[in-house]
Structures are given as structure tokens and as C-alpha cells.
Amino acid sequence: MKRILSGMQPTSQLHLGNYLGALKNWVDFQGEPNTECLYCVVDLHAITADYEPANLANATREIAAAYIAAGIDPDKSSIFVQSHVPEHSQLMWLLATMAQMGKLERMTQFKDKAGKNAERAGLGLFAYPVLMAADILIYKATHVPVGEDQKQHLELARDLAATFNTRYGVDFFPQPEPVIAGPAPRVMSLRDGSSKMSKSADSDMTRINLTDSADLIATTIKKAKNDADPLPATLEELKGRPEALNLITLYAALSGREKQDVLSEFEGKQFGAFKPALADVAIAHLEPITSRMNELMQDPAQVDAVLARGAEKARSIASPILGDVHKIMGFYK
Ligand code: AQP
């Protein structure tokens, strides 16, 4: 039996990186036999950075709407909000007693997000990977589909599962497998091919959001950074051309084609000819998702009902696992 767990933060709009690196792959698990899928909106993670309390609830609902619009079927998968299942935070504290400071200090996401102000960063940002480990282990999840940037956090979750098993002499937590799959596990910024597409990048021109209008998508792609050379015939020749590789990767992922196949079609063409074709593919792929999301956001009660049902199911799995953890750790009943 496979149990799949993953989540996204309601920090802002989802972008193509979130979609192609993670969300699109989540959908594929739904049809697999003996597979249970749990997809949460990780609001407790979202408050580790500056956020606007007045927007949090709606942003949470919007991410859930994006899941459904992208193809997560509430009848096949449980969709829920992390903070509605208190067992996540409860297990986090227990795991925190076993998480080594030295390992947490090596987490690149903390270093990137805390920047030069690490001394003033909140404990929540520092402990983010421990909460993520709890998100996974509280369901004894076996597979975690994420983008490439989350690989290091997944390693920490595996490490904590093993540490717990060894410390208490049990074979309790499985080792969760990262699933870093699909044609675009690391989508890069449209303005800088060396940094990942990110919600928190200042400029909107670095990314395409799932809610962007067709006009905005076309403009953003038109303004995307590129080099001066025409597109080559082979993938080999894209080495050292990160922006070109990123745009070809996006075209391939959005059209369901191989990168080599796309290059064969556009070989020798300039970006002036390629970009409008990429914009067309992006708009055609995203339009149905955006309009379904808009429909769902017009009917918040429908999304709320899905989230309530999902939380009930998630708690029915998490609660006995937390009970077992308490027993193993020797708590007074
Ligand atoms: N650029 C990306 N390429 C591929 N996958 C990506 N993911 C994020 N960016 C890319 C994957 O999306 C999932 C959800 O991410 P998250 O909401 O937890 O936040 P994040 O990883 O921190 O993503 P962002 O968008 O870059 O947010 P900020 O700017 O706030 O840090 C994860 O599976 C992630 O791997």
C-alpha cells in the first residue's frame, strides 16, 4: 500500500514551478492501485515568513481550489488544511527533541530565506523542515512528490524517521521516498536561468502564475530573458544556455512532448518566433485550470466542504499514529 503526502504553502499564487514540479505529478498518483493520496495546504508553514493575517484564510482556500482545478479529485484524494489536523504540530514537537541543530543549520532553504539576518530569523523558519517531517510521518507516508528544491528537507524527514526507530528500538516509521518526477522538476525564473521560479521573488516577470490572464502570460513570456543565439538542434547544445533550456523545458512540459522533439521543430529559429508558440501552449494548458479555479472561488462553500471532509479523513489516520508514538515514547496515559 502506497500512501502519498504533499502540500503547498498559501503564501501567494501558485506558479508554473509549483504546478509542473509538484502539483501536476500529484494528479497521476490518483489512478494507481493500492494508493491513498493526501494533499494538504500547509498554512502553518506559510506563517514562518511575513504574512498578512487578513489574507491567510482566502489564500488557503485558493490553493485548495487550485488543487481541484488542476485535477485533484476530492473523491479520490483527501484535500485538507494542515492546521485543521493538530497532530502535525504535536508530532513536530516530539520530533524536534530528536532533530539535531547542526543538521538544521545546513538546510539551504533556511539559509536562503533567513539571508544575512539568520540571528533574527524566527524559530519557526529554522524548524520548518521538522514540521515538514511531521507532516509526512504523521501519516506514515511512503511517497512524497515534490520539486527538486525540497530534496534536502525530504532527506531530513528520512533521517528523523530512522532516528526515531533507532532511539526507541522499533520499526515504526517507514522511510518516505521523495518522488522528484516529471519533465520539469526545477522550473527556473524567467528573468534568471540560474535561480528557481519562486513565489517570493520580487518581480512578477520572473514567473507565470496559475491565475494569470492570457495577455499577462503572453507579455511575461515575451519579456523572458533569452540569449541571442537561435535554438539548436540537440539538447547537448543547450548546455550553458540556462534560459533557453528553461523555455524549451516549459514548452515540452506544457505540451506533453519530449524536449528533443520540441527542438527538432524549432531548430534554427530565433526566440522571437519561439516565444509566441510557447505563449500559445501555456495559455491553452492553463486556461481551463484558471477558469475552474475562478468558478470554485465563486462558490467557497463547495471548497470548504471538501476541506472539512479531507480533514476528517486525515485526522482518522493521524490520530491513532500519534497515539502509537505516545505509547512508544512512554507517555503516561
Ligand atoms: N521552481 C520550481 N520548480 C519546481 N518545483 C517547485 N516547487 C516550488 N518551486 C518550484 C515545488 O512546489 C511545491 C510547493 O512549494 P511551497 O509552496 O511549499 O513553497 P516553496 O517550495 O518554497 O515554493 P516557492 O514557490 O519558491 O515559494 P517561496 O518563494 O515562498 O519559497 C514543492 O513541492 C516545491 O518543491
Side-chain angles (χ1 to χ4, degrees):
M1 164 95 187
K2 275 191 198 169
R3 186 172 283 151
I4 316 300
L5 180 285
S6 201
M8 308 236 174
Q9 302 181 68
T11 33
S12 173
Q13 306 283 339
L14 295 186
H15 53 70
L16 264 188
N18 301 132
Y19 174 66
L20 295 173
L23 182 51
K24 193 164 178 288
N25 300 328
W26 298 1
V27 178
D28 299 334
F29 278 107
Q30 293 185 124
E32 289 192 8
N34 294 325
T35 301
E36 181 170 36
C37 298
L38 299 154
Y39 297 126
C40 53
V41 184
V42 289
D43 53 349
L44 296 172
H45 286 287
I47 63 165
T48 59
D50 282 345
Y51 77 103
E52 184 49 65
N55 296 343
L56 182 61
N58 205 48
T60 300
R61 194 182 281 118
E62 195 165 71
I63 300 292
Y67 290 0
I68 300 168
I72 305 296
D73 178 347
D75 290 330
K76 293 184 184 157
S77 301
S78 301
I79 304 175
F80 61 98
V81 180
Q82 180 190 32
S83 64
H84 292 183
V85 184
E87 287 82 359
H88 288 236
S89 326
Q90 290 171 287
L91 180 62
M92 183 223 165
W93 178 255
L94 305 177
L95 295 177
T97 63
M98 286 163 243
Q100 293 175 5
M101 300 281 288
K103 286 183 182 165
L104 292 175
E105 274 164 3
R106 287 199 284 277
M107 294 292 126
T108 54
Q109 182 174 290
F110 175 72
K111 288 190 213 162
D112 289 349
K113 293 206 170 174
K116 293 194 182 98
N117 264 336
E119 288 293 316
R120 303 183 69 182
L123 177 61
L125 186 64
F126 187 66
Y128 184 113
V130 185
L131 179 57
M132 183 166 155
D135 297 336
I136 297 164
L137 298 179
I138 195 62
Y139 302 103
K140 292 189 172 182
T142 57
H143 294 77
V144 185
V146 283
E148 208 172 70
D149 58 312
Q150 290 299 322
K151 202 169 164 196
Q152 195 187 30
H153 286 170
L154 249 298
E155 274 159 20
L156 189 93
R158 289 166 64 83
D159 188 67
L160 280 171
T163 303
F164 179 92
N165 290 349
T166 307
R167 165 74 181 80
Y168 294 99
V170 289
D171 181 15
F172 185 72
F173 286 125
Q175 285 276 290
E177 290 290 334
V179 183
I180 296 165
R186 188 173 180 84
V187 175
M188 308 311 283
S189 158
L190 294 176
R191 303 299 294 170
D192 170 11
S194 65
S195 53
K196 72 162 193 157
M197 188 177 282
S198 164
K199 294 188 209 108
S200 49
D202 288 339
S203 164
D204 273 340
M205 287 293 128
T206 60
R207 63 185 162 250
I208 290 172
N209 294 320
L210 295 193
T211 48
D212 285 351
S213 67
D215 283 351
L216 184 53
I217 294 173
T219 307
T220 310
I221 290 176
K222 193 171 172 193
K223 291 192 174 167
K225 188 175 170 195
N226 58 262
D227 53 39
D229 293 336
L231 284 163
T234 64
L235 277 173
E236 269 294 296
E237 295 167 272
L238 280 178
K239 278 206 182 113
R241 298 181 64 186
E243 284 85 14
L245 174 63
N246 193 38
L247 295 177
I248 291 290
T249 303
L250 289 178
Y251 191 108
L254 289 165
S255 61
R257 288 168 60 186
E258 293 298 324
K259 281 183 255 189
Q260 181 54 59
D261 185 30
V262 177
L263 278 182
S264 302
E265 181 181 338
F266 290 97
E267 174 192 350
K269 297 249 167 50
Q270 296 289 345
F271 284 93
F274 174 71
K275 283 177 167 179
L278 173 58
D280 286 348
V281 165
I283 292 164
H285 191 102
L286 295 182
E287 198 281 325
I289 298 177
T290 311
S291 52
R292 179 78 181 116
M293 254 182 93
N294 289 338
E295 264 170 43
L296 286 161
M297 289 306 285
Q298 300 295 316
D299 185 7
Q302 192 188 340
V303 180
D304 294 347
V306 166
L307 291 173
R309 183 152 60 100
E312 202 179 321
K313 170 72 184 174
R315 286 205 79 179
S316 76
I317 303 169
S319 175
I321 291 176
L322 185 66
D324 289 344
V325 171
H326 282 153
K327 267 189 228 144
I328 291 168
M329 292 181 73
F331 281 93
Y332 176 74
K333 259 272 157 219

